[in-house]
Amino acid sequence: MQRIDRRKWILWIVFFQIPLIRSDFIRSCPTMCKCGWSFGKMKADCSKQSLKMVPSKFHVDIQVLNMDGNNLRFLTTETLQSSSLQTLQEVSLSDCKIQEVSEKAFSNFFTLTHINLANNNLTQLPT
């Protein structure tokens, strides 16, 4: 009997909960970004939007953020401060005219494994 109940529970999650999470994710996407799923991860593509700041309102489970081609110039703790970015695993900031990265810019990101800072105006990175 428990085996049948467990199957029902799994089916309920797959058919009812996952679609709700997906639609909530898409609805919470900042207007200047395109949000979707990429290789099983929640991704926000905010590239080439002439942004001077990283948008602050993302779904709490966002895992990949593409900010390529914007005009960020400086990366500080405040630049990526949004509490909705706490599950971020990958961030791409190439071609953003970044001149300086503060020592603690990425200090609050415990799940971050990939950072792309290619093609910026950096002369040094903090250690």
Side-chain angles (χ1 to χ4, degrees):
M1 188 71 170
Q2 286 182 338
R3 189 175 196 105
I4 294 172
D5 289 340
R6 185 169 184 218
R7 286 182 189 163
K8 286 180 183 178
W9 177 249
I10 290 170
L11 288 173
W12 182 79
I13 289 173
V14 169
F15 289 108
F16 296 106
Q17 291 301 102
I18 291 176
L20 287 175
I21 292 169
R22 285 185 177 185
S23 64
D24 183 44
F25 167 56
I26 301 300
R27 276 195 311 269
S28 65
C29 189
T31 56
M32 71 289 295
C33 304
K34 294 176 185 158
C35 294
W37 291 82
S38 178
F39 298 103
K41 294 183 179 183
M42 290 182 179
K43 179 179 180 177
D45 185 349
C46 307
S47 61
K48 299 176 184 170
Q49 297 295 314
S50 300
L51 299 173
K52 293 182 181 180
M53 297 174 53
V54 175
S56 59
K57 303 283 184 177
F58 288 102
H59 189 274
V60 294
D61 294 322
I62 190 84
Q63 297 163 301
V64 179
L65 175 60
N66 182 351
M67 291 293 298
D68 295 347
N70 284 295
N71 191 16
L72 299 178
R73 298 206 184 255
F74 302 99
L75 288 182
T76 65
T77 51
E78 290 81 27
T79 307
L80 299 166
Q81 189 65 25
S82 174
S83 61
S84 62
L85 295 174
Q86 295 304 308
T87 58
L88 202 59
Q89 295 174 7
E90 303 173 29
V91 62
S92 186
L93 299 157
S94 69
D95 298 308
C96 286
K97 302 175 187 166
I98 297 170
Q99 299 171 357
E100 186 179 327
V101 178
S102 80
E103 189 174 317
K104 296 187 179 192
F106 299 102
S107 62
N108 293 328
F109 297 95
F110 303 109
T111 58
L112 193 60
T113 58
H114 294 84
I115 303 169
N116 181 2
L117 292 169
N119 301 320
N120 280 293
N121 301 328
L122 294 167
T123 56
Q124 64 181 8
L125 286 173
T127 55

